[in-house]
Amino acid sequence: MIRALPEVLALFDLPFLDLVHQATLVHRQHFTSGEVQASTLLSIKTGGCPENCAYCPQSAHFETGVKSQKLLSLPEVLEAAKQAKAQGASRFCMGAAWRSPRGQDLQKVAEMVQEVKALGLETCATLGLLDQEQAEVLSLAGLDYYNHNLDTSSDHYAEIITTRAYQDRLNTLSNVREAGMKVCCGGIVGLGETREQRSRFLLELSLLDPAPESVPINHLIATPGTPLEHQKALDWTEFVRTVAVARVLMPSSFVRLSAGREGMPEAVQAWCFMAGANSIFLGEKLLTASNPELEQDHQMFEKLGLTLI
Ligand code: SAM
Ligand code: DTB
Ligand code: SF4
């Protein structure tokens, strides 16, 4: 098992094809190749977030043109969940632009979780920081996964977010584990981090004990109005390398090719699947940003012989 930064850097430094080959082998030892898990996102509360995450269209600190929306009603959420299921998703993820849930809101989300689960979907929520009690409420409601990302390496973190600490994130993740839920935890690349920082970020994810069951690898969607609006995209090979290293470091986790698929050539996405990505966000919207059209994704799966699980 890889536990030190030089080993992760050595993986990144491998010739591209050798790294992808290694990731493919690891993937096939732990999963059935060609099977891809699909989650659909719904923003249940949008915009006006008090946090200052430099990449985020929903932060109240930046003018991004995102329209704020208070917490959706239960019927609105159920309607979206039914549609997600009909479109082929196995998991429904409810996201709220909160620092952490407050007052009656958590109970309302707990009810959504129960009802979405009753439709026969796996449930996931991403609501910001959770204390132990809040994590217990969600777990009791039957929440399968909680998404909370490390986002970037501990040594790059302060460049991106100052309103919540890296340690706050680790505390939330440990509360989620303690309450018995599965962890969905990943981050964003293309934030201006160095390759060493990308390596440290992946190492830090893999050293969570146990490793997260689900690992979203997002490529920054550079959003006008945010401090990162002019950030240059990673070269596609560096993105595929990131996916491959995540696969090698976390052999049994689902590695999700997450935000940033829109506009990513199919051929690059195919490389990501070859490098061990075995999960995606399905549906034309992420939280506020757009995602590939459903028909386009279904055609890509068909061409690549991938099946949704
Ligand atoms: N507010 C909650 C929180 O941050 O814990 C939950 C929702 S937040 C939008 C979930 C994740 O979406 C972030 O941690 C970040 O990794 C990802 N994300 C947000 N904006 C993004 C962007 N512009 N490009 C790529 N990923 C993004
Ligand atoms: C994650 O890692 N990526 C998803 C999910 N977890 C909640 C969110 C991506 C958000 C992209 C920007 C937007 O749609 O606002
Ligand atoms: Fe708020 Fe989450 Fe966006 Fe940060 S990433 S500003 S916490 S919605």
Side-chain angles (χ1 to χ4, degrees), residues 110-184:
E111 204 181 330
M112 292 170 188
V113 168
Q114 272 166 344
E115 302 271 336
V116 170
K117 211 176 155 84
L119 299 174
L121 282 159
E122 286 184 315
T123 51
C124 179
T126 181
L127 317 170
L129 302 171
L130 293 185
D131 63 24
Q132 191 59 58
E133 225 170 284
Q134 292 172 314
E136 296 291 346
V137 169
L138 292 170
S139 182
L140 262 175
L143 187 66
D144 298 301
Y145 289 81
Y146 194 76
N147 166 249
H148 197 65
N149 290 342
L150 292 184
D151 270 351
T152 191
S153 61
S154 49
D155 66 335
H156 185 58
Y157 187 84
E159 303 288 317
I160 305 298
I161 304 147
T162 59
T163 52
R164 64 166 62 154
Y166 196 75
Q167 186 58 45
D168 294 331
R169 292 188 182 255
L170 295 174
N171 294 346
T172 293
L173 291 167
S174 108
N175 293 336
V176 168
R177 274 280 175 232
E178 192 69 20
M181 290 179 283
K182 291 185 198 152
V183 168
C184 172

Side-chain angles (χ1 to χ4, degrees), residues 179-253:
M181 290 179 283
K182 291 185 198 152
V183 168
C184 172
C185 180
I188 316 183
V189 294
L191 297 172
E193 74 285 352
T194 61
R195 181 184 270 188
E196 182 174 322
Q197 288 169 328
R198 262 191 302 286
S199 305
R200 187 173 288 107
F201 154 62
L202 293 175
L203 181 63
E204 287 171 339
L205 279 176
S206 71
L207 293 178
L208 292 172
D209 190 16
E213 283 79 3
S214 168
V215 180
I217 303 292
N218 299 278
H219 187 291
L220 173 71
I221 301 176
T223 309
T226 63
L228 295 175
E229 68 174 312
H230 299 303
Q231 191 62 51
K232 207 170 145 269
L234 287 186
D235 184 79
W236 70 273
T237 55
E238 188 65 13
F239 185 71
V240 174
R241 279 177 196 275
T242 304
V243 170
V245 172
R247 166 51 66 217
V248 173
L249 292 183
M250 293 169 278
S252 326
S253 305

